[in-house]
Amino acid sequence: MKVLLPFQAMNQYAEHVPAAYRASACGPVTAASILLYHEGVAPGIGPLYKYLGTTPIGLSAFCLIRRLRKMAGPRYDIKRVRTTEQIKLQLDAGYPLAVKFDRYFSMRWRQKTTFAYHWVPLIGYEETPNDLLLYIHDNGQKNGVVPGKPGRIEFRPDFTGVEVR
């Protein structure tokens, strides 16, 4: 089975992202792109960066969940997703997820990980006989994201998923 949501990519190195924030704006850009998917309009990255509590080393899942709940109010259900079944249910229902890959705080310093520390929108999956493949938009490519060209990665337990629906 394959699910791939129609998703408009954003890029943390775009001109509208303040230059001082670009290196660590993957979390706010991921949140903004998911809000764009739901609302048709995205908040400004600069104000969102500050509001979510993003720092030069990134954005914690705790801060993203807590502050996005406060910002969005009761219109959205924002919570941590812990299983592949929950991921598939959300994507089957048409909801993209914010995913944080984190080698450092997940205690996987020496393991091969997809990203060392990076937030991306998770926009689909594909079940194969031997694997679960996830479709993401890497919004941290300095050469830009190609809309409609999501990346495909193998599932590994090195990320935290956040549901925004």
Side-chain angles (χ1 to χ4, degrees):
M1 179 174 179
K2 181 178 178 179
V3 173
L4 187 59
L5 303 178
F7 195 85
Q8 183 176 347
M10 295 179 74
N11 188 298
Q12 73 189 72
Y13 292 97
E15 288 183 16
H16 69 276
V17 178
Y21 297 158
R22 290 180 186 159
S24 57
C26 57
V29 168
T30 296
S33 64
I34 291 173
L35 291 172
L36 174 64
Y37 176 84
H38 288 300
E39 308 258 335
V41 64
I45 302 302
L48 188 60
Y49 185 101
K50 291 178 183 176
Y51 185 82
L52 293 176
T54 311
T55 70
I57 61 168
L59 174 63
S60 73
F62 174 81
C63 283
L64 175 75
I65 293 168
R66 185 169 149 240
R67 294 182 179 179
L68 198 55
R69 274 183 188 153
K70 186 176 179 182
M71 182 181 109
R75 336 188 277 265
Y76 292 104
D77 184 19
I78 301 169
K79 61 186 173 189
R80 190 178 300 260
V81 175
R82 300 190 185 277
T83 69
T84 56
E85 289 308 311
Q86 289 175 313
I87 290 169
K88 291 189 295 186
L89 283 172
Q90 292 308 307
L91 292 167
D92 289 343
Y95 300 111
L97 292 102
V99 175
K100 183 178 103 174
F101 292 87
D102 185 354
R103 178 187 309 166
Y104 309 111
F105 293 99
S106 63
M107 308 304 178
R108 291 179 171 87
W109 303 294
R110 293 187 167 100
Q111 292 181 359
K112 182 180 177 186
T113 55
T114 308
F115 300 102
Y117 188 93
H118 193 41
W119 282 98
V120 296
L122 174 58
I123 61 165
Y125 72 92
E126 182 177 357
E127 290 182 289
T128 65
N130 300 320
D131 211 349
L132 174 64
L133 303 174
L134 304 176
Y135 289 91
I136 62 166
H137 267 297
D138 181 3
N139 50 31
Q141 297 178 15
K142 288 187 180 180
N143 60 351
V145 174
V146 180
K149 296 284 186 185
R152 190 170 81 173
I153 59 173
E154 291 182 18
F155 172 78
R156 291 190 190 115
D158 65 340
F159 68 81
T160 300
V162 177
E163 168 190 325
V164 181
R165 64 179 278 180

